[in-house]
Amino acid sequence: MSWDEIGSSGTLHDYLKQFEAQYPQVLGIWLVDPSRTLRNSSRTFPVAPIDLSDRDYFIALRDKDVGTFVSHVVVGRVAAERNFNVVRRRSSANGVFNGVIVVSVSPGYFTDFWRKTVPPLDVMAGLLRNDLDLLAREPSSPAS
């Protein structure tokens, strides 16, 4: 699909919304064009044309395909929820950067899971990026 088709497709929005509903840890799925503008999502339709050029995932994937990128924890611009993002680059047939596909994930999903499943011992569970940035932990800290 072209970006104009992606941005105007209610059918695509419905598909993304149904897909998101299958995963309680997912807060939203976002499609961002190569000019850094949000074009469609599972959360709202139509979406406001939000500029995402400052997000770490956009910067990392714009110049190079690094596979799956996991962002730092941020506060979302559409829903104002704390999340981290799991992101893949969208490339054209000839390998040129063509935007990103973003899945926003709730750190709270993981802390709730650990809170319910970890034995009542003096332990801590955490989810870290490969640079050791803390994405979620139980027991929660004021920052997580």
Side-chain angles (χ1 to χ4, degrees), residues 61-104:
L61 293 170
R62 175 188 56 208
D63 298 327
K64 182 179 176 186
D65 187 354
V66 297
T68 301
F69 183 88
V70 179
S71 77
H72 297 282
V73 174
V74 297
V75 174
R77 293 192 175 137
V78 174
E81 299 165 307
R82 293 183 77 253
N83 69 80
F84 62 90
N85 298 290
V86 179
V87 188
R88 296 287 300 206
R89 176 183 169 127
R90 186 175 189 252
S91 297
S92 64
N94 62 355
V96 174
F97 177 68
N98 194 15
V100 293
I101 302 165
V102 182
V103 178
S104 295

Side-chain angles (χ1 to χ4, degrees), residues 12-57:
L12 177 58
H13 162 73
D14 292 341
Y15 171 78
L16 295 173
K17 188 174 182 174
Q18 290 171 2
F19 190 80
E20 174 196 328
Q22 298 175 49
Y23 301 94
Q25 67 273 33
V26 173
L27 297 172
I29 303 168
W30 316 93
L31 305 177
V32 182
D33 74 17
S35 71
R36 75 196 176 280
T37 304
L38 178 62
R39 297 297 290 267
N40 205 327
S41 81
S42 62
R43 295 292 296 265
T44 61
F45 183 80
V47 296
I50 297 170
D51 181 340
L52 296 164
S53 61
D54 64 332
R55 292 298 199 196
D56 60 353
Y57 58 79

